[in-house]
Amino acid sequence: MSETKTIDLNELSKHVNETVRIQGWVHGLRGSNARQFLSLRSSGKIIQVLAEKEILGEDPFTEIKHLKQETSLEVIGKLVENEKSPIGFELILSSYKKVGESENYPITPKEHGIDFLLSQRHLWLRSSKQLAIIKIRSELSYHIRKYFHENKFTLIDTPILTGSIGESAGTLFSTEYFDLGNAYLAQTGQLYLETAIFAHSKVYCYGPTFRAEKSKTRRHLTEFWMVEAESAYVSHAENLKLQEDFVKTVIRETVASCRAELKVLERDPSPLLEYLSKPFAIVDYKDALDYLRSAGEDIVWGDDINSEREQMLCQKYGGPVFIQKYPREAKAFYMKVNPEDPKTVLNADLIAPDGVGEIIGGSEREENYETIIKRLEEEKLPVESYEWYLELRKYGSVPHSGFGLGTERLVAWICGLQHVRECIPFPRMMERLYP
């Protein structure tokens, strides 16, 4: 007689009407004195296990009734189709074995405060909605990498420890680095990514990014994952087209592969997909200011367009909007000055509606050696720390452009979440470094 096969909940369709073994954890339990419905979690999914006293016998059935939440089990039974099941199958239990006990599990079906849940994040990840969010994040990450692979971008793994500043010096995490002074946790992989376009033309990196911003908004984390792309011989306008295609493609593909998870989150993706059915609006910063002033906002040249104003612009244009050509003094040294208006740079932020805000920042890069030096001096940044970066402008410099997208904000938009803290397994915020 063949041994019962242990299967994964991702391969159920291959084993219908077979007797199989599933290893998992008790997610929930309900029922009567004759039958119990056990929710078993495994592989990020939950399957219903039907336990009947008539099949199991008195003692095993009584033990099933008193199983505690998160007890780990091995169950054996017949796998059958069930249209009412969220995953389309259930298991008719014939036997089981307890693997690990669970007593006084702290996260119960009752309501808990967000601070409590974040302190129990190592356990909260097991709940139904968190299972769905992390699965969507995983699928999104896959589709991001797939997009760049299919479009012939080469992956470049950029350093996390760096001696160069990519954004604002005021938002750096620093650490002592042997006898070389301070090193910094990377704010961006962009500067290093630019080096690789001279070898591979189209490149990207995807990894953790760190910003020591003293911000407590629902859109900010001190550690987040950013995907960045850089392309040689690409103008600002071409860069915007690439960003739009990228965002539309990865959202559509993620939604298509995560319908069940979106249903768990009670997220109807139809309005999201409707946004993607038309071109994204492009508005100059100065025109955005004119509109906001006409709408009663007290805003002047050089002011930041805050989250409330971003959403006003999304409402005006009926969806995502690129705000482009910001004031030169407000942006990073590497952004190319707009030749048609030297007060501005050739950059853009992609603003998502529904309260999400900026999901992409990008620009054409300055390719001129002397101009970069002047900008570094204006920003009071040490020119000698950027010698390697400056040399890119000496040996075959070309026009080039790039952008960066924050994964967590895109996850929040897809999932319909109001806070990015649930969009990463272990959020790092000003007031939270545990667990």
Side-chain angles (χ1 to χ4, degrees):
M1 187 174 180
S2 63
E3 183 181 349
T4 303
K5 183 174 183 179
T6 301
I7 68 165
D8 187 292
L9 294 193
N10 292 305
E11 54 179 355
L12 295 178
S13 60
K14 301 176 184 176
H15 301 283
V16 178
N17 296 324
E18 294 180 15
T19 297
V20 297
R21 176 188 290 106
I22 298 173
Q23 300 165 323
W25 294 263
V26 175
H27 195 79
L29 194 64
R30 60 182 176 84
S32 64
N33 289 327
R35 49 172 45 187
Q36 288 286 313
F37 297 95
L38 171 69
S39 295
L40 193 75
R41 186 186 67 253
S42 182
S43 307
K45 299 179 183 293
I46 298 170
I47 188 171
Q48 179 174 281
V49 177
L50 173 59
E52 296 185 284
K53 183 193 290 187
E54 188 176 336
I55 295 175
L56 295 176
E58 183 74 38
D59 291 344
F61 182 79
T62 299
E63 186 181 38
I64 282 276
K65 284 178 63 178
H66 294 94
L67 286 174
K68 300 288 188 6
Q69 187 179 354
E70 294 305 320
T71 299
S72 50
L73 295 177
E74 288 188 356
V75 299
I76 295 176
K78 184 178 181 181
L79 182 68
V80 298
E81 291 182 301
N82 182 342
E83 292 180 358
K84 295 181 180 179
S85 165
I87 61 174
F89 305 91
E90 72 173 355
L91 190 81
I92 310 300
L93 187 65
S94 56
S95 65
Y96 67 93
K97 179 178 75 173
K98 271 202 284 189
V99 178
E101 297 283 359
S102 175
E103 290 289 341
N104 302 317
Y105 185 69
I107 301 178
T108 61
K110 71 176 185 180
E111 288 292 324
H112 294 285
I114 189 65
D115 285 338
F116 171 83
L117 290 171
L118 286 172
S119 294
Q120 301 291 331
R121 186 62 171 165
H122 53 299
L123 303 176
W124 189 26
L125 289 172
R126 306 179 186 189
S127 70
S128 298
K129 287 191 173 182
Q130 301 308 311
L131 291 175
I133 294 166
I134 296 304
K135 178 61 184 298
I136 290 168
R137 179 190 174 100
S138 175
E139 286 293 304
L140 174 62
S141 295
Y142 165 72
H143 289 299
I144 285 171
R145 295 180 188 277
K146 176 171 171 270
Y147 179 89
F148 286 117
H149 181 77
E150 291 182 346
N151 285 276
K152 309 306 179 186
F153 280 71
T154 300
L155 174 66
I156 304 295
D157 294 318
T158 57
I160 289 173
L161 283 172
T162 176
S164 303
I165 298 168
E167 298 289 339
S168 167
T171 62
L172 287 165
F173 287 107
S174 64
T175 183
E176 290 183 11
Y177 196 77
F178 305 108
D179 296 327
L180 298 180
N182 280 344
Y184 306 101
L185 294 180
Q187 300 166 313
T188 172
Q190 179 209 315
L191 304 188
Y192 294 96
L193 206 57
E194 283 186 61
T195 69
I197 64 169
F198 297 89
H200 299 280
S201 296
K202 299 194 299 184
V203 296
Y204 80 103
C205 64
Y206 194 13
T209 304
F210 306 87
R211 301 280 172 89
E213 292 180 271
K214 292 184 177 180
S215 175
K216 295 184 179 180
T217 78
R218 60 187 178 84
R219 302 192 304 172
H220 284 87
L221 296 165
T222 58
E223 177 185 330
F224 59 97
W225 277 64
M226 185 155 67
V227 57
E228 298 177 88
E230 206 76 23
S231 305
Y233 296 103
V234 167
S235 68
H236 170 62
E238 292 168 328
N239 193 29
L240 295 190
K241 290 179 181 178
L242 173 63
Q243 291 172 49
E244 181 169 344
D245 183 64
F246 166 63
V247 168
K248 288 181 174 180
T249 301
V250 298
I251 290 178
R252 286 183 182 126
E253 293 190 350
T254 302
V255 167
S257 60
C258 293
R259 293 282 181 179
E261 287 76 19
L262 291 167
K263 189 173 182 180
V264 170
L265 297 174
E266 300 178 346
R267 169 63 159 161
D268 177 8
S270 301
L272 175 61
L273 295 176
E274 178 63 26
Y275 289 138
L276 310 183
S277 67
K278 54 190 177 182
F280 292 170
I282 302 173
V283 57
D284 287 358
Y285 172 87
K286 63 181 179 62
D287 294 330
L289 258 58
D290 288 343
Y291 168 72
L292 291 168
R293 289 193 199 104
S294 72
E297 292 293 301
D298 183 14
I299 185 170
V300 298
W301 180 265
D303 281 357
D304 183 38
I305 299 178
N306 63 25
S307 56
E308 291 79 11
R309 290 164 174 167
E310 287 175 345
Q311 293 309 302
M312 291 172 65
L313 290 163
C314 287
Q315 289 174 2
K316 171 177 171 56
Y317 292 101
V321 55
F322 284 108
I323 305 175
Q324 68 169 356
K325 300 177 182 175
Y326 279 74
R328 174 172 166 269
E329 64 271 16
K331 290 300 176 180
F333 70 89
Y334 52 75
M335 294 185 180
K336 185 174 180 63
V337 172
N338 180 6
E340 296 179 0
D341 180 5
K343 297 197 310 296
T344 66
V345 289
L346 295 177
N347 83 307
D349 293 339
L350 177 58
I351 310 302
D354 306 327
V356 176
E358 180 192 340
I359 56 173
I360 287 183
S363 73
E364 186 169 339
R365 316 310 192 187
E366 180 54 64
E367 78 270 20
N368 182 272
Y369 180 87
E370 297 299 334
T371 304
I372 286 275
I373 289 181
K374 185 178 178 183
R375 291 289 286 121
L376 286 168
E377 290 172 344
E378 288 174 356
E379 295 290 326
K380 295 182 171 55
L381 293 172
V383 174
E384 62 275 9
S385 294
Y386 295 88
E387 282 299 331
W388 61 271
Y389 184 71
L390 289 165
E391 286 188 351
L392 303 178
R393 274 70 184 169
K394 291 171 67 176
Y395 306 118
S397 187
V398 298
H400 60 286
S401 300
F403 65 89
L405 174 142
T407 300
E408 288 73 22
R409 290 190 187 178
L410 192 52
V411 172
W413 192 23
I414 293 171
C415 293
L417 298 173
Q418 293 300 304
H419 205 301
V420 295
R421 64 192 169 199
E422 291 184 62
C423 300
I424 189 170
F426 293 95
R428 295 292 179 245
M429 297 175 282
M430 268 184 67
E431 72 284 1
R432 183 164 298 280
L433 198 56
Y434 178 93

